[in-house]
Amino acid sequence: MSSAVLNSPSVERVRDALARSGIESSIVELPGAARTAKAAADYLGCEVGQIANSLVFRAGADPILVMSSGAKRVDVARLAATLGGPVEKADADFVRRHTGFAIGGVPPVGHGLKRAYVEKSLAAHRELWAAAGHPHTVFRLTYDELLRITGGAEAELS
């Protein structure tokens, strides 16, 4: 494994945020980029539904974090109804500008996004895996920990 990836500034930022949140989980470097939930699940030997995708949407100029199951697709109309207004998937520049992370490595912590939603279907799994600041890194956590560290509202968005 590459110490350069595990010691990169973005992964360090996640490690620090996890420590501040009281999450004691090691950051794991995958043998290749996990730009999809399927790729991450294959590397980890887990179900695709255990991958907690960090998706960023935009409601006007405001970023919205949605933690979604890798086995589900976010229904943008349902998210818009939850928010009470129009919403769209954010592009890579918007995501980087508002989180400081590249798509594929956006973690549930360490970015300062204030509005978050967590897909209820993730609760079906005892353990989840989320991105840790780089497309090659993930960390393990529980649904309750995910809710706590994101400050997210539970929602049915798929």
Side-chain angles (χ1 to χ4, degrees), residues 6 10 13-14 24 43 46 53 61 65 69 73 89 100 117 128:
L6 289 175
S10 59
R13 203 162 102 205
V14 173
E24 294 183 21
Y43 286 133
C46 70
N53 287 330
L65 176 67
S69 168
R73 281 187 131 353
K89 187 89 189 271
Y117 294 89
L128 303 172

Side-chain angles (χ1 to χ4, degrees), residues 46-119:
C46 70
E47 295 177 32
V48 175
Q50 290 177 262
I51 305 300
N53 287 330
S54 301
L55 304 175
V56 179
F57 291 83
R58 63 185 299 166
D62 297 329
I64 311 295
L65 176 67
V66 174
M67 297 303 303
S68 174
S69 168
K72 308 270 185 181
R73 281 187 131 353
V74 172
D75 180 332
V76 177
R78 190 175 266 190
L79 177 59
T82 300
L83 294 171
V87 65
E88 63 184 340
K89 187 89 189 271
D91 65 24
D93 290 338
F94 184 90
V95 171
R96 170 84 71 180
R97 188 169 59 253
H98 288 278
T99 69
F101 296 97
I103 289 175
V106 177
V109 294
H111 43 61
L113 297 185
K114 301 296 183 215
R115 291 176 74 187
Y117 294 89
V118 178
E119 170 58 45

